[in-house]
Amino acid sequence: MKLDRRLISLAKSARLVVAASILFGFAAGILIVLQARQLSRVISQVFLFGQDLGGVRGGILGLLGVILLRGLMVWGAEMAGSLAALRIKTGLRQELFEHILSLGPLFASRERAGELVNTCLEGVDALDAYFSQYLPQIFLAALVPLAFFILIFPLAPLSAV
């Protein structure tokens, strides 16, 4: 798939929901780093400093909290993406319906009704994955690695590079 200007113009009608999907996905990406950091702290406390379960209880609870928060962010990103796709598809179907009506009954009588309905329903449904998953992932593919670099560079420059 690629970015198509016509499809992007359709996404303008749901830009806030698409932005929410990207924001939730970005937060989930940041939480991956925090999860890894918290896990490494717990492991180092056990293996390097000889802590027992009681000594790492707070770290384990913190790790659990980060995991749960990350799950919520992923869920939010999926829900926002699905809502964006639904809004865009509904608007596109409305435009198609209005266009068919503007062409008049003569046009409709020359076309097969089943093909028109199929295009309006299944053809538009085929765009679901593009708007709910692909479009937000394009932005996340650029933002999340940059955020990883910014977060990791002060801690371990070689690892960040």
Side-chain angles (χ1 to χ4, degrees), residues 107-161:
F107 170 79
S109 67
R110 286 185 277 156
E111 296 295 323
R112 293 184 178 151
E115 288 180 13
L116 289 174
V117 170
N118 187 45
T119 300
C120 288
L121 294 177
E122 292 183 25
V124 173
D125 276 340
L127 296 172
D128 190 76
Y130 184 89
F131 290 114
S132 67
Q133 298 167 1
Y134 180 75
L135 191 59
Q137 287 301 323
I138 289 290
F139 292 97
L140 292 174
L143 293 174
V144 172
L146 179 63
F148 279 15
F149 179 78
I150 291 169
L151 288 171
I152 295 171
F153 188 79
L155 301 171
L158 186 59
S159 296
V161 172

Side-chain angles (χ1 to χ4, degrees), residues 70-84:
R70 187 173 145 229
L72 282 173
M73 293 300 114
V74 169
W75 177 80
E78 289 178 6
M79 290 296 106
S82 294
L83 180 59

Side-chain angles (χ1 to χ4, degrees), residues 11-143:
K12 289 180 182 177
S13 65
R15 65 180 166 268
L16 291 177
V17 185
V18 171
S21 177
I22 294 168
L23 184 63
F24 281 126
F26 182 73
I30 298 300
L31 287 169
I32 289 172
V33 174
L34 296 176
Q35 179 181 333
R37 185 172 179 166
Q38 188 65 22
L39 180 62
S40 69
R41 284 182 180 166
V42 169
I43 291 171
S44 68
Q45 286 176 352
V46 170
F47 287 104
L48 299 178
F49 302 111
Q51 294 284 328
D52 61 355
L53 183 60
V56 294
R57 181 170 301 167
I60 291 174
L61 290 175
L63 178 62
L64 181 61
V66 171
I67 291 170
L68 290 174
L69 188 57
R70 187 173 145 229
L72 282 173
M73 293 300 114
V74 169
W75 177 80
E78 289 178 6
M79 290 296 106
S82 294
L83 180 59
L86 179 65
R87 286 185 182 177
I88 293 166
K89 291 185 317 183
T90 301
L92 183 57
R93 282 192 183 108
Q94 183 66 32
E95 286 181 36
L96 283 170
F97 180 70
E98 289 171 2
H99 182 69
I100 291 170
L101 285 178
S102 72
L103 293 174
L106 183 60
F107 170 79
S109 67
R110 286 185 277 156
E111 296 295 323
R112 293 184 178 151
E115 288 180 13
L116 289 174
V117 170
N118 187 45
T119 300
C120 288
L121 294 177
E122 292 183 25
V124 173
D125 276 340
L127 296 172
D128 190 76
Y130 184 89
F131 290 114
S132 67
Q133 298 167 1
Y134 180 75
L135 191 59
Q137 287 301 323
I138 289 290
F139 292 97
L140 292 174
L143 293 174

Side-chain angles (χ1 to χ4, degrees), residues 1-8 130-131 134-135 138:
M1 284 190 186
K2 64 177 187 162
L3 289 175
D4 186 312
R5 290 178 196 247
R6 293 174 296 172
L7 293 177
I8 297 298
Y130 184 89
F131 290 114
Y134 180 75
L135 191 59
I138 289 290

